[in-house]
Amino acid sequence: MAAPTAIKTDIDLKLAAELAQQLRVDSVRSSTSAGSGHPTSSMSAADLLAVLVSRHLRYDWDEPANPDNDHLIFSKGHASPLLYSVFKAVGVISDEELMTGYRRFGSRLEGHPTPVLPWVDVATGSLGQGLPDAVGVALAGKYVAESPFRVWVLCGDSETAEGSIWEAIDHASHYKLSNLIAIVDVNRLGQRGPTELSWDLETYTRRFSAFGAQVLSVDGHDVGAIDRAMTRAADVSGDQPSVILARTQKGRGFSEVEDKEGWHGQPLPPEMAERAIIELGGERHLIVRGPKPVAAARVPRTTADGAQVKLPVYEVGDKVATRKAYGDALAALGARRDVVAMDGEVSNSTFADEFAHRYPERFFEMYIAEQQLIAAAVGFSVCGYRPFASTFAAFLTRAYDFIRMASISQASICLSGSHAGVEIGADGPSQMALEDLAMLRAVQGSTVLYPSDATSAAALVAAMAGLDGISYLRTTRGAYPVLYRSGEFFPVGGAKVLRSSDADQVTLVGAGVTLHECLAAADQLAAVGISARVIDLYSVKPVDTATLTAAADATGGRFVLVEDHHPEGGLGSAVLEALADTGRVDLRVAHLAVREMPGSGTSQELLDAAGISAGHIAAAASGLAGA
Amino acid sequence: MAAPTAIKTDIDLKLAAELAQQLRVDSVRSSTSAGSGHPTSSMSAADLLAVLVSRHLRYDWDEPANPDNDHLIFSKGHASPLLYSVFKAVGVISDEELMTGYRRFGSRLEGHPTPVLPWVDVATGSLGQGLPDAVGVALAGKYVAESPFRVWVLCGDSETAEGSIWEAIDHASHYKLSNLIAIVDVNRLGQRGPTELSWDLETYTRRFSAFGAQVLSVDGHDVGAIDRAMTRAADVSGDQPSVILARTQKGRGFSEVEDKEGWHGQPLPPEMAERAIIELGGERHLIVRGPKPVAAARVPRTTADGAQVKLPVYEVGDKVATRKAYGDALAALGARRDVVAMDGEVSNSTFADEFAHRYPERFFEMYIAEQQLIAAAVGFSVCGYRPFASTFAAFLTRAYDFIRMASISQASICLSGSHAGVEIGADGPSQMALEDLAMLRAVQGSTVLYPSDATSAAALVAAMAGLDGISYLRTTRGAYPVLYRSGEFFPVGGAKVLRSSDADQVTLVGAGVTLHECLAAADQLAAVGISARVIDLYSVKPVDTATLTAAADATGGRFVLVEDHHPEGGLGSAVLEALADTGRVDLRVAHLAVREMPGSGTSQELLDAAGISAGHIAAAASGLAGA
């Protein structure tokens, strides 16, 4: 760290240009030292970042948690050498860390930025995600926190081919996010050659304008022009997001690579790096600070306050859909001012509309744009809110890359997917989630919940609000009997044993609709003298290994595992993996799942056809009990 | 079926308007009979479809397999009552089938269209997918089949919120797909209320124009205006795709629901349906036929012809990356004229560029737009080609909804995902596929392959070209020793036992990089007197249950399962599920997988940190062998 006296403030454009050269030199040095990275993609944007951090970004580098700080998101995450060089230039990491840490094992200076660094909001590196995430941050700032912060996003030109960029701009203009500024580094070269639009800034302008942005085109190496554009974009009094289109050269500043193909993702060999540093004017070690955040009257950023959350109460035996219980519980959670909700234009199906009606100021309609739906949730998480995002479970597949990245972003977001499985009936397979348990379980650190009744669903929604990471609630379309009394406790990682006796011969494991089928099967089995244990596996991840192990011991390892899901990676896998992880598995298993492509029909017809209804369960259990 | 004499041809606009009323009446009748469905979303587009099928769509309804037929894709798949009413109107389904089949169990008239019907190209119902699929069909028609067919797509207005719609238009204009005509039914009402842009046709026009389309705005209930627009759009001599923006009313023609909220996805109750039918002029049973396809000189649509495919040969012990073998084998497969390839702007990393260099006319750069990448593959599959689509495995998560729908579409597409797992090293977690095995295994009917060396990789690429459904090859970044001699057979569903003896005490199962770690571990174990069987599980789905069962029997059920993937749903699950499906599992298992969030580092550092390197495998095996 440089001594405080060395810190320069009130940076003029001449010094900003110096700073840009320093950022280039450090991008070269760090990537060459690591033997990997993207120096040329960093050099194109160095002037943009130099002007931004020294003259426009309002950020207290000593207090990254200051809620009024502007946000800086590198949507083109591969330009990490540039970002880390900025961190050196503002004095929060040392030159030594930059040179010995970048891309090394155990270092926080990862190949692409992640929030292991306190100045990084979200993980980037899967292109087209930083801008949608930023929309979420800007929504939080403008509508909930009411903070004057701005959100600055550095985008690559290649990533504008991602549809998610257009979902983001569309939503930014719909919600009049004048606090959002996207800076597009149009260096015309992608990984394997020219981009689709090259330097056609006119087409970019038409597109971004048509999607509702204020567009400012600049020579991305003219610090004066950049400064003027940023000054204009930073004025949040309008009602449009801003897009600064910067015409740049990849590898700018080093003639051997400048605007040349074949240098994407290539660190310069050491001798070349030496020549580059000389051409760029040599090493510099400026420490600069730009403007400070504006503290303003605003809604305090709350976490769970002492709000009384009064969960809905259901009568045992009443038929209530778990998706309805989701809506009821979410509306109840709204008493907590940190809870926000969003939905993908199906809130009257997911029942998120119950929250929307009660707390319209904290509900965000994301229309049919599931990528932006998840990204908005991530953005709210960045700002300390507790977002709940819902759509049909089948359509969460649209956002899998965003969910995966949300996990790397250390976001805590709560997802609800309705209309799971063949149970939905007539709409057919396009609307049936049959892969969602596999998809969500495979996310690092995730929680996967699948309630069978309204009481447990409501309790689990409340539990989700306190979980770290990605949590997922799978809900069912149809209404089924309430099984549990109000007040029953449903710990995450638990399970309920609904039927058991000392004489149990076989264990039936289900969740959601199949739990009801398991109960019916147990009745059928009892009628023929077979005693079946029934487990409600409402927590699919983490799973209740102790209850499963006890059942295995009690029923000679005989299990019927039943799920309204494809056979791979779902509830059955969860049970098998958990028992395997105990080191020892001695089982006789029938695994009933949806193995063929379903069509339309009634719920019962489709459960029967898939072989996951009570009759099939009873038959499988009889077979095992006799074995 | 109506008698041939009843068929009307040379339909004038007056009769087209009659036909539109018939389509409305039949949309009401069919959905009311089923008790579910989307009549109002069908009624808005009835005039559009009446004019299209009677006067513009060149289609031989008696020969749906005619390769010169125009294509008709309902991107707004929930308007299935309209589509099926069209099928009745052209005489390919009966009124009885429409009235008794729609949305019923076992019927081909599913809630959303699927290719169980011979006139349906692709399954729709997940919005925003029909248009990208159509881009693939149009690419095939224009650039490979050289057929004069046109591709007509009915889109909803709500689905323009999906980024994938903009990926599609962007690619359609980039590839000058004048044979593509999107008809947007702007009825201004979504599921739960007004759409984002309502009837703002000017904004729609600016957006579609900026993305390179010829835009024609019409009153969607004026058959003359529709006819003129379709005539202009059908002229394929230009170099732009066309978008017909049709201002329409949801529920058009029945005053009780016309342009009213609250009627999305609601069939009319029977008494209301009666009133609707009266207001619409009563039942009609016109049978109409529009123009026939134009037979034209064109490249024969080939399936696997007698082409000699000469797979690459590798020397045992040479270090070759499996991603390189993918490129080599794909280039070799290019000798088959039905093979096409596409990539998401990373072809120099996936090695798809080897095909691109040899067969540029059958390679399609899809830029960084993974949804469109998969949709293009689906479109080529529709036209009888064998598409191979590649990107980083991590980024296939971006297209999971498209992959899922491709399965429902009965598409046969071959996917290659490179850079699997922590093995990639310095780039960090955003670039590491750690969920892909779970994701792809959960797709109905999929095949999941994960080779460990170049010889098997090449053989499996060749095998993929003959598989039905979704097939997936997971490849590794680094170069590892070739294990198998050229000519070795790798059946899909097989496995290789690389080490075995009668004295085996434990079985090590790996694939890809972990197989090499298992081999090293076996050496370490041998040095301390423990004999380990080693299985190369190159076929993760289907999996070789016989080889696994034999190993279980031989080694007392002792298994070390090792995967460069999160622990859920991957290779470990595949083994456990397969053994469970035999009915009996008696195992002592150590499951080594990537359980914590990785960072950057070298391959070896990250494999070690995740606990999936040779030393960890040997330790786990020792523990089991002593147990």
Side-chain angles (χ1 to χ4, degrees):
Chain A
M1 297 284 187
T5 50
I7 296 178
K8 295 184 193 301
T9 55
D10 299 317
I11 314 295
D12 64 17
L13 290 173
K14 184 152 171 286
L15 196 58
E18 266 308 294
L19 176 62
Q21 293 298 79
Q22 171 175 319
L23 298 177
R24 290 191 168 94
V25 168
D26 287 343
S27 295
V28 168
R29 292 170 66 228
S30 58
S31 51
T32 293
S33 78
S36 77
H38 298 73
T40 58
S41 303
S42 297
M43 293 158 85
S44 58
D47 300 301
L48 297 164
L49 265 290
V51 176
L52 176 61
V53 298
S54 65
R55 293 172 56 88
H56 298 279
L57 185 78
R58 296 180 185 152
Y59 199 96
D60 184 344
W61 292 100
D62 299 320
E63 195 192 351
N66 184 332
D68 288 324
N69 278 340
D70 278 2
H71 292 260
L72 172 61
I73 294 177
F74 262 47
S75 197
K76 55 175 286 187
H78 56 286
S80 55
L82 176 61
L83 182 63
Y84 302 153
S85 296
V86 165
F87 293 160
K88 171 193 147 180
V90 296
V92 294
I93 70 168
S94 67
D95 191 71
E96 187 191 355
E97 180 173 3
L98 181 65
M99 292 299 290
T100 61
Y102 184 51
R103 287 178 166 250
R104 308 316 198 278
F105 181 72
S107 163
R108 59 184 183 167
L109 303 185
E110 296 188 8
H112 293 75
T114 75
V116 297
L117 289 162
W119 317 283
V120 172
D121 286 331
V122 291
T124 51
S126 180
L127 289 167
Q129 299 208 18
L131 188 61
D133 289 347
V135 167
V137 175
L139 280 171
K142 177 156 186 159
Y143 291 102
V144 190
E146 296 180 22
S147 166
F149 70 68
R150 291 88 52 97
V151 190
W152 302 84
V153 189
L154 180 67
C155 296
D157 48 354
S158 281
E159 68 178 321
T160 63
E162 290 283 10
S164 56
I165 291 290
W166 303 99
E167 293 183 16
I169 292 290
D170 174 52
H171 286 72
S173 68
H174 179 77
Y175 280 107
K176 304 184 189 307
L177 299 178
S178 56
N179 56 347
L180 178 73
I181 305 120
I183 304 164
V184 187
D185 177 19
V186 187
N187 65 24
R188 95 168 178 88
L189 291 174
Q191 170 172 325
R192 48 79 270 162
T195 60
E196 212 178 337
L197 292 178
S198 187
W199 274 324
D200 181 1
L201 261 63
E202 280 183 32
T203 295
Y204 281 117
T205 299
R206 276 198 302 277
R207 292 185 181 185
F208 283 110
S209 297
F211 272 74
Q214 163 183 245
V215 181
L216 307 163
S217 286
V218 297
D219 172 347
H221 303 308
D222 176 342
V223 290
I226 294 167
D227 191 60
R228 287 189 297 276
M230 288 184 177
T231 301
R232 197 161 143 206
D235 174 4
V236 303
S237 63
D239 62 359
Q240 288 181 294
S242 294
V243 173
I244 298 175
L245 293 173
R247 186 188 199 275
T248 62
Q249 289 180 315
K250 202 158 176 170
R252 170 76 171 196
F254 180 38
S255 51
E256 295 181 38
V257 301
E258 193 175 87
D259 193 34
K260 287 196 172 58
E261 290 190 39
W263 283 99
H264 181 93
Q266 300 295 327
L268 304 184
E271 328 78 62
M272 245 180 122
E274 277 183 38
R275 295 196 297 277
I277 293 164
I278 292 168
E279 189 174 334
L280 289 162
E283 284 186 32
R284 297 165 184 81
H285 299 285
L286 293 171
I287 308 277
V288 304
R289 289 287 167 99
K292 290 269 191 163
V294 176
R298 61 190 162 74
V299 179
R301 194 189 317 217
T302 61
T303 52
D305 44 28
Q308 280 295 322
V309 172
K310 205 169 151 28
L311 285 182
V313 172
Y314 306 101
E315 291 300 313
V316 171
D318 282 1
K319 289 190 172 180
V320 183
T322 51
R323 60 183 171 126
K324 175 71 166 66
Y326 169 74
D328 295 343
L330 181 60
L333 275 174
R336 273 177 54 169
R337 287 188 306 166
D338 65 324
V339 170
V340 296
M342 51 219 69
D343 189 276
E345 223 275 315
V346 289
S347 58
N348 54 341
S349 290
T350 60
F351 286 96
D353 61 357
E354 298 198 19
F355 182 95
H357 295 144
R358 198 161 334 160
Y359 302 102
E361 72 285 2
R362 279 187 272 133
F363 177 79
F364 297 88
E365 177 56 70
M366 302 313 287
Y367 299 95
I368 307 179
E370 294 80 7
Q371 298 183 113
Q372 181 58 67
L373 171 71
I374 301 303
V378 170
F380 275 101
S381 172
V382 164
C383 293
Y385 295 94
R386 172 58 63 164
F388 283 78
S390 50
T391 183
F392 282 28
F395 304 143
L396 286 174
T397 56
R398 196 62 154 265
Y400 194 26
D401 197 13
F402 283 75
I403 296 170
R404 173 183 82 87
M405 290 295 295
S407 164
I408 306 176
S409 291
Q410 303 178 5
S412 290
I413 62 175
C414 305
L415 310 180
S416 173
S418 68
H419 293 72
V422 303
E423 192 274 347
I424 68 161
D427 273 325
S430 65
Q431 319 291 302
M432 294 170 177
L434 291 164
E435 307 84 1
D436 57 318
L437 294 176
M439 171 174 91
L440 269 304
R441 285 180 66 240
V443 171
Q444 205 276 329
S446 66
T447 301
V448 178
L449 306 169
Y450 184 17
S452 302
D453 90 329
T455 301
S456 54
L460 293 169
V461 173
M464 287 168 80
L467 295 175
D468 287 335
I470 315 299
S471 57
Y472 172 58
L473 184 83
R474 185 186 218 222
T475 68
T476 301
R477 177 177 174 276
Y480 294 88
V482 172
L483 300 171
Y484 302 102
R485 278 182 301 188
S486 171
E488 174 116 12
F489 184 47
F490 295 89
V492 170
K496 294 286 177 191
V497 180
L498 284 174
R499 303 277 173 87
S500 74
S501 77
D502 292 344
D504 290 343
Q505 296 161 269
V506 59
T507 303
L508 315 181
V509 183
V513 67
T514 63
L515 190 267
H516 293 274
E517 299 294 325
C518 286
L519 290 171
D523 291 342
Q524 295 177 16
L525 290 164
V528 296
I530 298 173
S531 179
R533 181 165 298 199
V534 178
I535 295 177
D536 174 1
L537 205 74
Y538 66 82
S539 182
V540 179
K541 179 185 175 187
V543 77
D544 186 345
T545 305
T547 293
L548 292 169
T549 303
D553 291 345
T555 62
R558 291 179 181 80
F559 278 96
V560 183
L561 310 174
V562 201
E563 56 187 319
D564 194 358
H565 186 275
H566 287 151
E568 300 88 3
L571 179 146
S573 289
V575 172
L576 295 171
E577 290 167 14
L579 292 174
D581 282 347
T582 66
R584 188 177 189 109
V585 219
D586 292 304
L587 304 177
R588 311 292 170 268
V589 174
H591 182 194
L592 310 185
V594 182
R595 291 174 190 272
E596 304 298 326
M597 185 63 73
S600 291
T602 65
S603 291
Q604 200 56 55
E605 285 167 341
L606 294 171
L607 293 170
D608 283 341
I612 57 173
S613 58
H616 290 93
I617 298 167
S622 297
L624 287 177
Chain B
M1 297 284 191
T5 48
I7 296 178
K8 297 187 191 300
T9 55
D10 299 317
I11 314 297
D12 63 17
L13 289 175
K14 184 153 172 286
L15 196 58
E18 267 306 295
L19 176 62
Q21 293 297 79
Q22 171 175 319
L23 298 177
R24 289 190 169 93
V25 169
D26 287 344
S27 295
V28 168
R29 292 170 66 229
S30 56
S31 50
T32 292
S33 77
S36 77
H38 298 73
T40 58
S41 303
S42 297
M43 294 160 86
S44 57
D47 300 301
L48 296 164
L49 264 290
V51 175
L52 176 61
V53 298
S54 66
R55 294 173 55 88
H56 297 279
L57 185 79
R58 296 178 183 154
Y59 199 97
D60 185 343
W61 292 100
D62 299 320
E63 196 193 352
N66 183 332
D68 289 324
N69 278 339
D70 277 1
H71 292 261
L72 172 61
I73 294 178
F74 262 47
S75 197
K76 53 175 286 186
H78 55 286
S80 55
L82 176 61
L83 182 63
Y84 302 154
S85 296
V86 164
F87 293 161
K88 171 193 149 181
V90 298
V92 294
I93 70 166
S94 67
D95 191 70
E96 187 192 354
E97 180 172 1
L98 181 65
M99 293 298 291
T100 61
Y102 182 52
R103 289 179 165 249
R104 307 317 197 276
F105 182 72
S107 162
R108 59 184 182 168
L109 303 185
E110 296 187 10
H112 294 74
T114 76
V116 298
L117 290 161
W119 317 283
V120 172
D121 285 332
V122 291
T124 51
S126 179
L127 289 168
Q129 298 209 18
L131 188 62
D133 289 347
V135 166
V137 175
L139 279 171
K142 177 154 187 162
Y143 291 102
V144 189
E146 295 179 23
S147 166
F149 70 67
R150 289 91 50 97
V151 190
W152 303 83
V153 188
L154 180 67
C155 296
D157 47 356
S158 281
E159 68 177 322
T160 63
E162 290 281 10
S164 55
I165 290 290
W166 303 99
E167 294 183 15
I169 292 289
D170 175 53
H171 286 73
S173 68
H174 179 78
Y175 281 107
K176 304 182 189 306
L177 298 179
S178 56
N179 55 346
L180 179 73
I181 305 120
I183 305 163
V184 186
D185 177 19
V186 187
N187 65 23
R188 97 170 176 87
L189 291 174
Q191 170 173 323
R192 50 79 267 162
T195 60
E196 210 178 337
L197 292 178
S198 186
W199 275 323
D200 181 1
L201 262 63
E202 279 183 32
T203 295
Y204 280 117
T205 299
R206 276 199 302 276
R207 293 186 179 186
F208 282 110
S209 297
F211 273 73
Q214 164 183 246
V215 180
L216 307 163
S217 286
V218 298
D219 172 347
H221 302 308
D222 175 342
V223 291
I226 294 167
D227 191 61
R228 289 189 295 278
M230 287 184 177
T231 301
R232 197 159 143 210
D235 174 4
V236 302
S237 63
D239 62 359
Q240 286 182 293
S242 293
V243 173
I244 298 174
L245 293 174
R247 186 188 198 277
T248 62
Q249 289 179 315
K250 202 157 176 169
R252 169 76 172 196
F254 179 39
S255 50
E256 296 182 36
V257 301
E258 194 173 87
D259 192 34
K260 288 197 172 57
E261 289 191 39
W263 284 100
H264 181 93
Q266 300 296 327
L268 304 184
E271 329 78 61
M272 241 178 127
E274 276 182 39
R275 294 196 298 276
I277 293 165
I278 291 167
E279 188 173 334
L280 290 162
E283 282 187 34
R284 298 166 183 80
H285 300 285
L286 293 170
I287 308 276
V288 304
R289 290 288 168 97
K292 290 271 193 162
V294 176
R298 59 189 165 75
V299 179
R301 196 191 314 217
T302 61
T303 52
D305 45 26
Q308 281 294 322
V309 173
K310 206 168 151 26
L311 286 181
V313 172
Y314 305 100
E315 292 299 313
V316 171
D318 282 2
K319 288 189 172 180
V320 184
T322 51
R323 61 184 171 126
K324 176 68 166 65
Y326 169 74
D328 295 343
L330 180 61
L333 276 174
R336 275 177 52 171
R337 287 189 305 168
D338 64 324
V339 169
V340 297
M342 54 220 65
D343 189 273
E345 223 276 315
V346 289
S347 59
N348 55 339
S349 290
T350 60
F351 286 97
D353 62 356
E354 298 197 19
F355 182 96
H357 295 144
R358 204 173 318 170
Y359 302 103
E361 73 284 1
R362 279 187 270 130
F363 178 80
F364 297 88
E365 178 57 67
M366 303 312 288
Y367 299 96
I368 306 179
E370 294 81 8
Q371 299 184 112
Q372 181 58 65
L373 172 71
I374 300 304
V378 170
F380 275 101
S381 172
V382 164
C383 294
Y385 295 95
R386 171 59 63 164
F388 283 78
S390 50
T391 183
F392 281 28
F395 304 142
L396 286 173
T397 55
R398 196 63 156 263
Y400 193 27
D401 198 14
F402 283 76
I403 296 170
R404 173 183 82 87
M405 289 296 294
S407 165
I408 306 175
S409 291
Q410 303 178 5
S412 290
I413 62 176
C414 304
L415 310 180
S416 173
S418 67
H419 294 71
V422 301
E423 191 274 346
I424 69 161
D427 274 324
S430 64
Q431 321 289 301
M432 294 171 177
L434 291 165
E435 308 84 1
D436 57 316
L437 294 175
M439 169 174 93
L440 269 303
R441 285 180 66 240
V443 171
Q444 205 277 331
S446 67
T447 302
V448 178
L449 306 169
Y450 184 17
S452 302
D453 89 329
T455 301
S456 55
L460 292 169
V461 173
M464 286 167 82
L467 295 176
D468 287 335
I470 314 301
S471 57
Y472 172 58
L473 185 83
R474 183 187 221 220
T475 68
T476 302
R477 176 177 174 275
Y480 293 87
V482 173
L483 301 171
Y484 301 102
R485 278 181 303 186
S486 169
E488 175 114 14
F489 184 48
F490 294 89
V492 170
K496 294 287 177 189
V497 180
L498 283 174
R499 302 278 174 87
S500 74
S501 77
D502 292 343
D504 290 343
Q505 297 161 268
V506 59
T507 303
L508 315 180
V509 184
V513 67
T514 63
L515 191 267
H516 293 275
E517 299 294 324
C518 286
L519 290 170
D523 291 341
Q524 294 177 17
L525 290 164
V528 296
I530 297 173
S531 179
R533 182 166 297 198
V534 178
I535 295 178
D536 173 2
L537 205 76
Y538 65 83
S539 182
V540 179
K541 180 186 174 188
V543 76
D544 186 345
T545 305
T547 293
L548 292 169
T549 303
D553 291 345
T555 62
R558 291 179 181 80
F559 277 96
V560 183
L561 309 175
V562 199
E563 56 189 318
D564 193 357
H565 186 276
H566 288 152
E568 301 87 2
L571 180 145
S573 289
V575 171
L576 294 172
E577 290 168 14
L579 292 174
D581 282 348
T582 66
R584 188 179 188 103
V585 221
D586 293 301
L587 303 177
R588 310 293 171 267
V589 174
H591 183 193
L592 309 185
V594 182
R595 291 175 191 269
E596 302 299 325
M597 185 62 74
S600 292
T602 66
S603 291
Q604 201 57 54
E605 285 167 342
L606 294 171
L607 293 170
D608 283 341
I612 57 174
S613 58
H616 290 94
I617 299 168
S622 297
L624 288 177

